[in-house]
Amino acid sequence: MAARGLGHGLLYLGEVTRDHKDIDWFVRAEDSAELTGALLRHGFEPVTGPPPDLQADFAKDGLDSSFAFVAEDAAGRLVVAGGPWAGAPWPEGMLDAEPGRIGGLECAVVSPPAQIEIKEMMPVWVPGAPRRAKDAEDIVRLRTAMAERARDSARPTMSDHGR
């Protein structure tokens, strides 16, 4: 189950960039019972929040963790698993990123372009959700990291020169 959880930008960037009061995760809906059991066994407390078929929220040591449930539709697209937006598609290519890492922790991550789309569109998708300075800062960090990786991958290597 753990390998099927999807983390956000922290792991793509490879470092903690700011203090986080919460971390958002995406988990396949069919793993929700197993996830809940594991979190409870590790001392997480459930937090009342969104509809239980949409998301599960937990807290431990002052950190909130929100687990949005995803599913696939008949066409194989990743969609919102439940709640009032059930069946709404998540951004195309959301799962196309390489695994992210911080130290020895590795996790599948939401692709940076999908993270950016989610951060930019949340106030549109959820009327009343504010545009937040931390999201704008995260978008800049993600775009910068993407540009750096693209530049680094475009550099010739020794093997490109027949050596």
Side-chain angles (χ1 to χ4, degrees):
M1 180 210 47
R4 292 186 283 188
L6 302 168
H8 266 268
L10 298 180
L11 294 163
Y12 176 77
L13 296 172
E15 63 182 333
V16 177
T17 56
R18 60 178 164 80
D19 286 338
H20 285 76
K21 294 181 180 167
D22 68 331
I23 299 178
D24 298 310
W25 301 88
F26 291 88
V27 175
R28 297 199 182 275
E30 64 263 19
D31 294 332
S32 64
E34 186 178 351
L35 169 74
T36 297
L39 291 170
L40 293 173
R41 282 191 302 279
H42 286 90
F44 285 79
E45 296 288 331
V47 176
T48 303
D53 59 341
L54 171 68
Q55 178 173 313
D57 294 344
F58 293 87
K60 182 177 179 181
D61 299 331
L63 180 68
D64 291 336
S65 294
S66 297
F67 298 87
F69 300 132
V70 298
E72 287 186 7
D73 66 10
R77 294 177 302 183
L78 202 63
V79 298
V80 176
W85 301 284
W90 283 104
E92 190 71 30
M94 187 166 140
L95 304 182
D96 292 346
E98 294 291 321
R101 292 171 189 80
I102 293 181
L105 176 64
E106 181 177 301
C107 182
V109 297
V110 174
S111 71
Q115 289 182 53
I116 291 168
E117 181 177 345
I118 291 166
K119 287 179 178 292
E120 290 177 335
M121 293 302 297
M122 195 56 67
V124 175
W125 295 335
V126 182
R131 295 212 179 264
R132 304 178 303 186
K134 70 179 187 174
D135 291 330
E137 293 164 3
D138 289 347
I139 289 168
V140 169
R141 284 186 189 102
L142 287 165
R143 285 190 171 134
T144 299
M146 289 169 50
E148 288 172 357
R149 287 186 184 193
R151 185 183 63 242
D152 290 347
S153 68
R155 288 189 181 142
T157 64
M158 295 299 277
S159 62
D160 292 335
H161 299 288
R163 295 179 197 184

